[in-house]
Amino acid sequence: MIGLIDCNNFYASCERVFNPELEGKPIGILSNNDGCVIARSNELKPLVPMAMPAFKIPPHIKKQITLLSSNYELYGDMSQRVFSIVQDYIIDTELYSIDEAFLHLQHQRNPVEYCRNLRKIIRQSTGIPVCVGIAPTRTLAKIANHIAKKKVGSQGVYYLDPNASDFIEQLEQLPISEIWGIGRQLSAKLSNMGIRTAWQLRNFDAHFIGKQFSVVLERTILELRGIACIELEDIHTPKKNIMTSRSFGKATNNIDDLHDVIRLHASRGAEKLRTQQSLAQAILVFLRTNRFGEQQSQYHPSIVIPLLYPTNDTRHIITAAQEGVCRIFKEDYSYQKAGVMMLDIVDQNKRQLDFFSQTEDTETKTRSNQLMSTLDTINKKMGRNTISFGGINTNAQWNLKRDLLSQRYTTRWDELPVVKMM
DNA sequence: TGGGAAACT
DNA sequence: AGTTTCC
């Protein structure tokens, strides 16, 4: 049996733990640069649609709601607290995202009661409300979680049994857009074919769907029938390309600024390569003007820089990225976003030795690995960017705009919550 | 008016 | 290599 544990309105709940006045009120969390709404409390859901740009929220609604910048340092730390409890209780746990994990429930005599208890413990020790869905497949467990969140009397845990009498009814009530892996476009296409509910999809010709759409959707149908065929290995396999990019708080046409930004993205990309034990054989650097600035001239250049040999050494990747910036930069444009992508990624442990390609000599390679792992160890222990190449300019104008940021209550000594005793 | 990855064309 | 799709 598979369980899916999911934190309720996770970002909003994190904010409420440290600011209980927000309890019961409509609150929304904004994306980077305070752009659009990416998380909503239940109270906000009827007022503001998902992903609405903050500036498009009507003023009469805006004044009755609370908006906050995203505080990933807080959410990341709260996530660790929640899931370290989960992992203590259920050994076989697969973290899926910042607020979700799959659980393998094999050894529990009564999984529903077990998860209700786990839920109480998490609530008590972290303040975060969670729900658990239980079913034979991941797709059904997701649906079960959805039901657990809505159904009164579920006490936060719901078991969706394909053989139970309510199974058909539950799937008939569920629009296909709520199914894991089915987004807007796909639901529109399926809807045109007359498929609107999860129950209709479950009964459709899976093979035909596989041909017409994708194997992923075919598997979804099998999963709806209770046949487990989506493994999490599909999710935890190493990335084939790795992107780091960010919009600027304020546009810039200063090449020094752009070099700073690109150096940061290059370092992050190299770090990501190392954590999944990979090497890149090329990188892509891109810049772009503000695509919503209709009156300004647009420029979206990108360039692929091949690397001399497969590497995850920050120094090599920075050098290549800086060269990329120089080659695509034109000073008559004002840039709003920049990024670096790691390309042609290979496994560092079974690197193919091509007779014709250059490789580093073994000693250089060993020293590079030692330096990088020392760097990673220190940064992991002391916090990101404790050691970096060329320093971090925290006051640069391209830094994120985050005007509505709450405190980083759990990870900064100078931002701890203060309790007043009367 | 986000960031990221993969599939598709 | 650029576009679309999804989360």
Side-chain angles (χ1 to χ4, degrees):
Chain A
M1 209 53 66
I2 305 274
L4 188 263
I5 179 166
D6 186 304
C7 303
N8 304 356
N9 313 321
F10 182 54
Y11 296 174
S13 298
C14 289
E15 298 290 349
R16 281 175 171 166
V17 169
F18 297 96
N19 191 351
E21 286 183 8
L22 299 174
E23 207 68 54
K25 300 216 175 104
I27 69 174
I29 315 300
L30 301 172
S31 64
N32 279 339
N33 290 310
D34 296 341
C36 46
V37 178
I38 54 164
R40 302 165 298 164
S41 70
N42 284 340
E43 299 77 9
L44 189 69
K45 287 179 184 175
L47 301 175
V48 176
M50 192 61 170
M52 177 178 258
F55 77 91
K56 277 192 184 169
I57 300 173
H60 71 278
I61 290 188
K62 209 166 188 170
K63 67 180 186 216
Q64 49 174 316
I65 67 178
T66 303
L67 293 176
L68 294 164
S69 304
S70 34
N71 187 342
Y72 284 107
E73 197 163 318
L74 176 65
Y75 313 149
D77 186 62
M78 293 302 284
S79 171
Q80 278 191 12
R81 291 171 187 230
V82 169
F83 292 108
S84 76
I85 295 171
V86 174
Q87 282 169 315
D88 282 347
Y89 267 72
I90 299 164
I91 303 300
D92 208 350
T93 297
E94 295 165 354
L95 299 183
Y96 178 56
S97 72
I98 194 167
D99 71 333
E100 283 171 276
F102 287 104
L103 315 170
H104 290 268
L105 302 165
Q106 274 127 5
H107 311 296
Q108 290 73 18
R109 200 174 38 81
N110 184 339
V112 173
E113 279 313 308
Y114 194 88
C115 291
R116 286 203 175 118
N117 190 41
L118 172 63
R119 183 171 176 267
K120 263 186 218 139
I121 292 160
I122 292 172
R123 182 64 193 246
Q124 190 178 14
S125 42
T126 67
I128 299 291
V130 304
C131 285
V132 184
I134 302 171
T137 72
R138 295 176 198 283
T139 304
L140 288 174
K142 277 259 187 187
I143 293 172
N145 188 284
H146 186 83
I147 299 169
K149 288 213 169 84
K150 291 197 164 166
K151 197 175 168 78
V152 280
S154 72
Q155 298 172 60
V157 181
Y158 188 81
Y159 172 41
L160 183 60
D161 178 358
N163 301 312
S165 54
D166 70 332
F167 182 70
I168 299 180
E169 191 192 326
Q170 293 290 358
L171 263 61
E172 278 175 336
Q173 285 175 12
L174 191 79
I176 44 171
S177 58
E178 304 285 336
I179 300 170
W180 189 30
I182 301 186
R184 241 199 0 254
Q185 310 286 339
L186 217 45
S187 20
K189 280 180 199 156
L190 290 168
S191 177
N192 281 335
M193 299 168 61
I195 307 174
R196 300 207 165 77
T197 69
W199 182 246
Q200 287 176 306
L201 183 64
R202 187 215 108 109
N203 295 318
F204 214 82
D205 181 348
H207 187 71
F208 173 79
I209 291 285
K211 290 272 175 230
Q212 204 71 187
F213 292 87
S214 68
V215 279
V216 179
L217 191 54
E218 183 178 352
R219 286 190 192 157
T220 298
I221 296 181
L222 297 180
E223 288 243 325
L224 288 173
R225 295 177 187 166
I227 303 160
C229 54
I230 298 179
E231 293 302 321
L232 221 60
E233 296 153 32
D234 301 336
I235 295 154
H236 286 309
T237 46
K239 312 274 182 264
K240 293 173 182 160
N241 51 54
I242 293 173
M243 154 115 105
T244 59
S245 72
R246 201 123 304 178
S247 306
F248 306 151
K250 194 163 176 282
T252 179
N253 74 335
N254 180 323
I255 187 144
D256 296 330
D257 278 352
L258 294 172
H259 274 297
D260 285 353
V261 175
I262 288 296
R263 205 176 54 233
L264 227 53
H265 290 314
S267 311
R268 274 296 295 143
E271 275 169 32
K272 289 183 186 176
L273 281 174
R274 296 197 291 273
T275 56
Q276 68 162 40
Q277 309 217 354
S278 299
L279 309 170
Q281 305 186 95
I283 64 165
L284 178 145
V285 180
F286 76 87
L287 303 174
R288 68 167 13 176
T289 49
N290 182 357
R291 62 195 173 113
F292 296 104
E294 282 164 24
Q295 69 289 19
Q296 75 189 81
S297 46
Q298 295 289 319
Y299 182 45
H300 299 167
S302 71
I303 188 170
V304 174
I305 309 277
L307 300 164
L308 284 177
Y309 33 80
T311 185
N312 59 21
D313 187 311
T314 302
R315 297 166 298 172
H316 301 155
I317 300 210
I318 286 180
T319 307
Q322 305 278 38
E323 185 199 328
V325 177
C326 293
R327 293 189 24 201
I328 57 179
F329 174 77
K330 290 186 187 169
E331 65 182 7
D332 19 303
Y333 296 96
S334 195
Y335 300 93
Q336 186 70 41
K337 185 172 181 175
V340 176
M341 217 186 291
M342 305 295 119
L343 303 175
D344 300 337
I345 291 177
V346 293
D347 187 333
Q348 74 175 12
N349 301 312
K350 48 179 179 189
R351 188 172 109 191
Q352 300 248 337
L353 288 179
D354 184 335
F355 182 76
F356 296 104
S357 73
Q358 287 193 51
T359 50
E360 295 171 279
D361 66 86
T362 318
E363 197 193 320
T364 318
K365 198 176 73 195
T366 310
R367 288 175 55 186
S368 158
N369 286 344
Q370 283 172 349
L371 177 61
M372 289 304 122
S373 71
T374 306
L375 189 78
D376 290 336
T377 309
I378 293 173
N379 282 338
K380 193 173 177 199
K381 202 163 164 184
M382 314 283 288
R384 182 179 293 176
N385 298 330
T386 299
I387 298 190
S388 68
F389 290 87
I392 306 291
N393 181 357
T394 49
N395 289 318
Q397 60 168 346
W398 46 263
N399 272 330
L400 283 184
K401 181 176 162 218
R402 294 197 294 188
D403 293 340
L404 307 167
L405 191 61
S406 53
Q407 287 160 249
R408 292 164 293 188
Y409 301 99
T410 60
T411 50
R412 300 284 169 138
W413 287 113
D414 50 346
E415 297 181 27
L416 290 180
V418 176
V419 179
K420 288 187 184 136
M421 307 290 277
M422 302 309 260

